[in-house]
Amino acid sequence: MSELLAIVPDEVEVAARELLELACAKELAIVSAESCPGGLVASLLTDVEGASRAFERGFVVYTDEAKCELLAIDSRMIERCGAVSRETAIAMAQGALSRSHGDVAIAITGFAGPAGPGDEPGLVHFACARSDEVTCHREEHFGDIGRGPVRLRCLAVAIDMLRKAIETAD
């Protein structure tokens, strides 16, 4: 067991294994685009043996510049809507699909720790995109619980959203 799986709640680890099995069974490849989790979703999904068939790649896009350069997001949209927004999460998911060979993408952007003035600690936006479906969005308010706990909660939401997207795939 890796150090990551040692701190991940058992139910999240089981859900990740089941997600990867489902993706393999449906021959779908997962892509992640992560800001506040810093690659934790990709790390979890690649920590499960046999995941290489189901996990195509991950983008860690912590800065606005990285979001724009790696995911082809228009910087004016980030300036207008903010890096932590529904619009940016959706653009990240769609950009991850267009910049990969994946079939399903999860994107996460938020404030894992103390935010700036007027920003809400623990506010996280998720988006899940499939090339043949409308991109779904989810907003979570985890509260000011600390960086580590917010990042771990992001794992559970990401796995849940990916599972739902893959379950409904033909």
Side-chain angles (χ1 to χ4, degrees):
M1 178 186 295
S2 75
E3 290 180 32
L4 174 61
L5 288 182
I7 63 167
V8 171
D10 290 343
E11 63 273 10
V12 175
E13 180 185 348
V14 169
R17 288 180 190 280
E18 291 172 352
L19 167 70
L20 292 168
E21 289 171 8
L22 180 62
C24 285
K26 293 201 173 200
E27 298 182 356
L28 296 174
I30 298 168
V31 178
S32 68
E34 305 175 59
S35 183
C36 73
L40 204 54
V41 172
S43 182
L44 174 65
L45 295 179
T46 57
D47 213 23
V48 176
E49 197 169 320
S52 62
R53 291 189 336 223
F55 187 77
E56 205 270 334
R57 73 182 73 183
F59 297 91
V60 178
V61 289
Y62 205 67
T63 66
D64 293 351
E65 292 80 14
K67 290 173 182 69
C68 297
E69 290 171 11
L70 295 176
L71 302 175
I73 296 174
D74 187 337
S75 62
R76 293 171 296 189
M77 189 272 304
I78 293 175
E79 290 169 12
R80 186 177 66 253
C81 301
V84 177
S85 65
R86 176 184 193 278
E87 295 82 0
T88 297
I90 289 171
M92 287 171 61
Q94 292 170 345
L97 275 185
S98 72
R99 294 290 179 106
S100 71
H101 300 286
D103 303 296
V104 182
I106 188 71
I108 308 165
T109 184
F111 301 115
D119 293 330
E120 176 188 342
L123 170 64
V124 182
H125 289 271
F126 299 81
C128 190
R130 267 193 10 224
S131 54
D132 58 345
E133 291 288 324
V134 172
T135 302
C136 66
H137 168 261
R138 184 165 161 182
E139 180 177 320
E140 291 288 338
H141 301 265
F142 297 122
D144 195 3
I145 60 174
R147 294 181 65 76
V150 167
R151 293 173 75 209
L152 286 174
R153 290 206 182 161
C154 286
L155 288 177
V157 173
I159 299 301
D160 180 59
M161 290 180 77
L162 285 165
R163 179 188 51 77
K164 288 175 181 171
I166 291 172
E167 281 178 344
T168 60
D170 294 330

